[in-house]
Amino acid sequence: MKNLFNNTQIAFSLKSDTELDRAYFLFKLIDNQPLVRIGTAVTNFAIKANLPVEGLIRATVFDHFCGGVNEDDCIPVVDKMFAKGVSSVLDYSVEGKEEEEQFDTVLEKTLKLIDFAKEKKAIPFAVFKPSGFGRIDLYEEVSLGKKLTPAEEEEWNKVVARFEKVCKASYDSDVALLIDAEESWMQDAVDNLVEKMMQKYNKLKPIVFNTLQMYRWDRLDYLKKLHEKAKAEGFHIGMKLVRGAYMEKENERAIEKGYPTPICASKEATDENYDAAVKYMVDNNMSVFEGTHNEASTDFLMNLMEEKGIKATDNKIWFGQLYGMSDNISFNLAANGYNVAKYLPFGPVKDVMPYLIRRAEENTSVAGQTSRELSMIKAERNRRKGK
């Protein structure tokens, strides 16, 4: 099935020649690690110094990887993609906040996104990041089972209340909710909270989805234990499967603190772990959101569906990629009838920069990702020029 992903005419059908040239320019930059490091440092400095660089950022990297500065800004992009069969997951990508007021803002944004999704067929999921609802240090303390002070207890109760509010809103609106994964040292607290939400709101079908980062060697065991619990207690599991986003940070912290790294020993081990989780979920009739830019993993799930007689349109299986990346996977899957959703980040330019920097750094560290993007863009530019 892999030849499916080589059709660049379908992959870039929404991109004008100018947008295609911009994509080529951006990935050329991202392909150069020293340039990414320098560009990141300069951009951070320019934003902190309030230099007038937002217009330049908006016209280049922001518009390539983001849908807009607010929800309404994203709608033309959502509609354009949906015309080609690709759905959207609006992702308020503001990171690194620490204040209660900021957490409440993210809560209100998430509730608004659930309303958006309820009214718009093109938006099948809502999403939020747990660190948008509470302090990372607090999640870590809860994960370690530390005794909280009365003030921390009150703070944690607010985090729980935010989870409860969005999960209930998703249930009431019949909108599936993706909850993103975090660093391993705070993930246990997230997992425990999400499990409680699943027990409560996934009785009839999966509404609440957790995320498994499969570069962690312990995640398949966690999934199997959760499955036993779900069978015993009568709730459904929905999971987004990703490889993971914090590898360097995870390995560095493990060395610094003197504990075994939670990350798989090699890229091959991660790939095997990922595919094993996909297979386990499909074999056990769970709802899968496969978040990947890996053609082999996409192919693996398509083949599994064929073996099991699962239709491309079956709502239990979704394929997901990030906006601005792997259009050859997203749009070719959609053209063949599969359920596909692009994560569409949005937010004020300044606030979304940490997300954009992470995207650039991720692209430089994932072997072959950027060169694959470049080769596809180059092939389409040549096709359009009749070469």
Side-chain angles (χ1 to χ4, degrees):
M1 284 186 189
K2 262 191 193 161
N3 289 340
L4 180 79
F5 306 128
N6 291 334
N7 188 324
T8 61
Q9 186 173 1
I10 289 173
F12 300 113
S13 56
L14 291 182
K15 284 203 177 348
S16 66
D17 289 351
T18 306
E19 287 169 331
L20 203 61
D21 289 344
R22 180 184 66 191
Y24 185 75
F25 167 74
L26 281 173
F27 281 109
K28 265 288 196 197
L29 285 179
I30 288 168
D31 203 27
N32 187 316
Q33 278 194 357
L35 262 183
V36 168
R37 279 197 296 273
I38 293 162
T40 296
V42 169
T43 304
N44 278 332
F45 170 77
I47 285 173
K48 281 173 187 162
N50 288 316
L51 297 177
V53 292
E54 284 200 11
L56 177 63
I57 294 166
R58 174 97 210 232
T60 53
V61 65
F62 184 91
D63 279 356
H64 181 82
F65 290 111
C66 299
V69 296
N70 55 45
E71 306 91 319
D72 296 316
D73 221 5
C74 293
I75 294 305
V77 181
V78 170
D79 290 342
K80 224 161 65 160
M81 288 203 294
F82 197 58
K84 299 288 182 183
V86 175
S87 299
S88 297
V89 181
L90 290 188
D91 181 16
Y92 184 58
S93 296
V94 173
E95 300 182 0
K97 302 299 183 186
E98 289 284 306
E99 306 297 326
E100 290 297 311
E101 195 180 324
Q102 292 165 330
F103 299 141
D104 285 335
T105 298
V106 177
L107 170 66
E108 292 312 312
K109 280 281 180 197
T110 310
L111 291 169
K112 193 173 177 183
L113 292 180
I114 292 166
D115 285 340
F116 250 61
K118 181 183 172 184
E119 300 302 325
K120 212 158 173 60
K121 196 182 172 195
I123 307 174
F125 296 88
V127 66
F128 76 91
K129 201 165 163 51
S131 53
F133 279 8
R135 285 188 304 112
I136 290 170
D137 290 350
L138 183 63
Y139 281 104
E140 186 183 352
E141 286 185 22
V142 173
S143 294
L144 291 169
K146 282 188 179 174
K147 185 164 171 54
L148 301 180
T149 65
E152 286 171 335
E153 194 74 56
E154 191 182 333
E155 195 183 348
W156 180 246
N157 288 340
K158 286 179 183 173
V159 174
V160 175
R162 290 182 189 112
F163 268 74
E164 175 66 49
K165 197 166 186 178
V166 290
C167 292
K168 185 178 188 306
S170 288
Y171 178 81
D172 290 344
S173 301
D174 196 24
V175 170
L177 178 68
L178 302 169
I179 300 173
D180 283 344
E182 301 277 4
E183 291 92 338
S184 62
W185 52 91
M186 63 172 280
Q187 188 63 40
D188 284 356
V190 175
D191 288 344
N192 291 336
L193 249 181
V194 178
E195 271 179 43
K196 285 175 185 156
M197 299 298 118
M198 282 185 177
Q199 287 165 309
K200 193 167 184 179
Y201 295 112
N202 288 9
K203 291 286 188 192
L204 301 176
K205 64 176 183 179
I207 288 287
V208 177
F209 283 61
N210 203 355
T211 299
L212 296 179
Q213 300 190 97
M214 297 312 299
Y215 66 3
R216 283 182 57 178
W217 48 262
D218 64 342
R219 295 285 80 189
L220 185 55
D221 284 341
Y222 169 77
L223 175 63
K224 288 175 178 176
K225 281 177 192 156
L226 181 65
H227 183 216
E228 291 308 312
K229 195 174 188 178
K231 283 191 291 188
E233 296 179 17
F235 64 90
H236 295 268
I237 293 174
M239 281 288 177
K240 179 171 69 144
L241 297 175
V242 298
R243 274 169 171 76
Y246 310 106
M247 187 163 70
E248 286 172 14
K249 202 194 283 190
E250 290 281 1
N251 283 330
E252 281 166 14
R253 190 177 192 271
I255 291 165
E256 185 194 317
K257 303 264 184 189
Y259 60 81
T261 177
I263 305 299
C264 290
S266 66
K267 169 77 167 66
E268 292 71 30
T270 296
D271 291 343
E272 283 171 23
N273 206 31
Y274 189 94
D275 289 345
V278 170
K279 187 172 188 320
Y280 186 84
M281 291 192 74
V282 172
D283 285 349
N284 289 286
N285 203 30
M286 297 179 201
S287 288
V288 185
F289 186 103
E290 188 188 61
T292 187
H293 297 144
N294 185 299
E295 290 175 17
S297 287
T298 308
D299 208 42
F300 180 77
L301 178 50
M302 290 163 71
N303 288 330
L304 269 181
M305 291 171 75
E306 197 173 17
E307 280 169 29
K308 301 268 179 192
I310 300 169
K311 289 180 181 169
T313 52
D314 192 310
N315 207 42
K316 280 202 304 289
I317 312 277
W318 280 82
F319 295 85
Q321 289 78 43
L322 297 166
Y323 182 68
M325 291 168 66
S326 299
D327 287 346
N328 67 308
I329 296 177
S330 311
F331 287 92
N332 282 304
L333 279 173
N336 284 271
Y338 290 90
N339 297 318
V340 187
K342 284 277 205 191
Y343 254 58
L344 188 59
F346 73 94
V349 175
K350 195 174 174 179
D351 291 337
V352 174
M353 279 317 295
Y355 167 85
L356 290 173
I357 286 164
R358 202 150 49 81
R359 281 288 76 82
E361 289 170 345
E362 228 171 84
N363 269 281
T364 58
S365 65
V366 176
Q369 175 67 47
T370 303
S371 55
R372 180 64 171 147
E373 295 283 355
L374 279 168
S375 70
M376 299 300 292
I377 294 166
K378 206 183 288 182
E380 176 58 12
R381 288 166 100 203
N382 288 339
R383 188 197 68 80
R384 291 184 188 187
K385 288 169 187 168
K387 287 184 183 176

